[in-house]
């Protein structure tokens, strides 16, 4: 009986316990065939190790300063103690960095993702409102450059922070006892699924409104930093003010959803992870469409194409895709091409999208649809997407 | 407290201090794993920080075991970054160029050779199956069999065999990378 590869390789790596090692070494002394295999395995391991280590510059690893890196990391750790407004933001955050990056891109071009019913014609402004939802499969590699700490992200963040003026700030989340109370607080008719007999945790989160004024020079340098040098900004963009109004939303948590209870906790220190959401928790979020007002001479389609190029599309692809979307009435949800799958589903009498992210770390799903001007989303962990569909289809 | 007490164990709601200690212990090795996969300092650092952010935000109910989670996320991030780029050649060239800059004392032929080596190693890892590539990199970053097993969701007893296979595959592919 010869030694198997697992034992030989573990012997080389000193990964056998003393008993196993004694037995293996005893066998090796008496077995030429195993010695030969051991020697060949050791020689190959040494060659591979040499190649692998040669590809790492001598100072590359020693230069990894944990202290300096932690200083960069620390600002990103504040999220955990922050009050979580609604599961809308939570859902978006939980999709990970790519989604965060997508959100940043969308923030820049938010106007594009939303709506065109001219409810409020205004002589100066076009007003958009969400009527449909669609997904945009995107190559997320480019968005990697927008991860929180990259120079590009810093530049984008500076651009946004210097150009955003809040006209209405969101207040803390409030609990509601019943859907009627939530409806009254939120100002729209909150619908809850009828297939659930358990009472949800209801949270009402007031919305916010802000104006974004675009500085063409800064936007230009950002675009150049992103390597999109051939991208043209429309002249009408300079100084254009885009007003975004996000209405009050309601989140209903079914099952064990500590995130919602914690969101209501006043005690910041005793609050646990605000993003915590257990596997059996399903969160339903409802919110009237945000409204986005833009100057009438702003070329929305052209702006949309810019946003699309930020996500990695070529100019031609962006133009083609842009022409298929009614940017004035469609909420576009970016979906990482390699990180998530999506399917169009009939839900609540409308067409919606079920987006799933089947990672082995923590599978997630979100079901999103729009009905009568209200955007709905049900999100959760695990593979309970069917529960979300059943829930949505039982809405009155 | 979690039931499993290991190097990654931390209180259910870790304080910033707990987390900083954990970060200090694991960052160099997490960074090492990522550097080996992506070959660029800035990229490796960004991805390492992303892995820790995910650890910070990790939910208790997401997954029963903490073991290896951090290294699983880190190696997934690194491997995906390695594979995802459609412009891998450019990417790897950049990695090589950065390696040139990193190695101030090297003479030009040695620098050229190192750049070639980096390109070949990245290409080879990119051609390997995800599990083999990650296993190889984790092991070469100093993780024990038990830690590698925890990170990849494998039985510790299988690591020896898988490692031997991964090395054989790496060598075959690496040599074929050198062919015209």
């Amino acid at each position: 009986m010869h030694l198997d590869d697992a034992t030989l390789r573990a012997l080389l790596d000193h990964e056998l316990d003393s008993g196993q090692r004694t037995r293996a070494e005893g066998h090796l002394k008496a077995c030429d065939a195993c010695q030969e295999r051991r020697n060949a395995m050791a020689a190959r391991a040494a060659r591979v190790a040499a190649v692998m280590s040669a590809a790492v510059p001598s100072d590359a690893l020693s230069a990894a300063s944990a202290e300096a890196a932690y200083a960069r990391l620390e600002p990103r750790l504040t999220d955990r103690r922050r009050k979580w407004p609604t599961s809308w933001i939570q859902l978006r955050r939980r999709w990970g960095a790519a989604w965060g990056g997508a959100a940043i891109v969308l923030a820049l071009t938010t106007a594009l993702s939303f709506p065109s019913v001219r409810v409020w014609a205004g002589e100066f402004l076009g007003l958009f409102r969400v009527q449909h939802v669609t997904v945009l499969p995107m190559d997320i590699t480019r968005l990697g450059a927008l991860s929180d700490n990259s120079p590009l992200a810093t530049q984008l963040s500076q651009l946004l922070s210097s150009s955003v003026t809040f006209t209405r700030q969101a207040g803390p989340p409030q609990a509601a006892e019943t859907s009627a109370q939530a409806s009254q607080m939120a100002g729209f008719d909150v619908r809850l699924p009828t297939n659930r007999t358990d009472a949800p945790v209801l949270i009402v989160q007031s919305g916010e409104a802000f104006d974004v004024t675009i500085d063409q020079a800064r936007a230009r340098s950002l675009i150049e930093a992103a390597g999109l040098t051939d991208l043209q900004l429309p002249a009408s963009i300079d100084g254009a003010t885009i007003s975004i109004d996000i209405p009050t939303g309601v989140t209903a948590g079914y099952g064990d959803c500590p995130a919602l209870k914690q969101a209501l906790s006043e005690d910041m220190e005793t609050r646990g992870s605000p993003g915590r959401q257990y596997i059996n928790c399903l969160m339903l979020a409802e919110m009237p469409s945000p409204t986005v007002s833009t100057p009438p001479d702003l070329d929305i389609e052209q702006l949309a194409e810019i946003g699309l190029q930020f996500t990695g599309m070529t100019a031609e692809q962006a133009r083609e895709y842009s022409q298929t979307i009614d940017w004035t009435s469609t909420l576009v949800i970016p979906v990482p091409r390699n990180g998530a799958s999506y399917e169009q589903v009939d839900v609540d009498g409308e067409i919606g999208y079920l987006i799933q992210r089947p990672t082995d770390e923590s599978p997630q799903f979100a079901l999103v649809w729009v009905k009568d001007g209200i955007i709905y989303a049900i999100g959760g962990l695990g593979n309970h997407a069917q529960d979300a569909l059943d829930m949505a289809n039982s809405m009155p | 407290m979690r039931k499993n007490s290991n190097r990654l164990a931390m209180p259910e709601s870790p304080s910033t201090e707990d987390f900083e200690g954990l970060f200090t212990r694991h960052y160099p090795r997490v960074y090492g794993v990522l550097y080996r996969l992506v070959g660029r300092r800035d990229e490796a650092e960004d991805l390492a920080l992303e892995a820790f952010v995910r650890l910070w935000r990790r939910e208790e109910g997401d997954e029963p075991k903490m073991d290896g989670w951090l290294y699983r996320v880190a190696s997934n991030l690194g491997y995906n970054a390695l594979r995802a780029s459609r412009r891998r050649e450019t990417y790897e060239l950049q990695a090589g160029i950065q390696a040139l800059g990193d190695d101030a004392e090297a003479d030009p032929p040695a620098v050229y050779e190192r750049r070639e080596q980096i390109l070949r190693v990245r290409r080879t890892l990119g051609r390997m199956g995800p599990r083999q590539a990650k296993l190889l990199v984790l092991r070469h970053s100093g993780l024990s069999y038990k830690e590698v097993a925890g990170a990849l969701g494998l039985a510790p007893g299988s690591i020896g065999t898988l490692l031997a296979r991964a090395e054989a595959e790496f060598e075959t592919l690496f040599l074929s990378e050198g062919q015209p």
Side-chain angles (χ1 to χ4, degrees), chain A residues 9 13 47 72 79, chain B residues 45 57 59 145 167 171:
Chain A
R9 192 66 186 78
D13 281 335
R47 290 194 299 271
R72 284 184 59 200
D79 291 345
Chain B
E45 185 171 330
R57 293 178 185 158
E59 317 305 337
Y145 279 21
E167 285 169 343
E171 188 165 61

Side-chain angles (χ1 to χ4, degrees), chain B residues 147-171:
Chain B
E147 289 170 317
V148 172
L152 299 180
L154 300 167
S158 68
I159 298 301
T161 309
L162 295 172
L163 184 59
R165 279 186 206 153
E167 285 169 343
E169 186 187 358
F170 179 90
E171 188 165 61

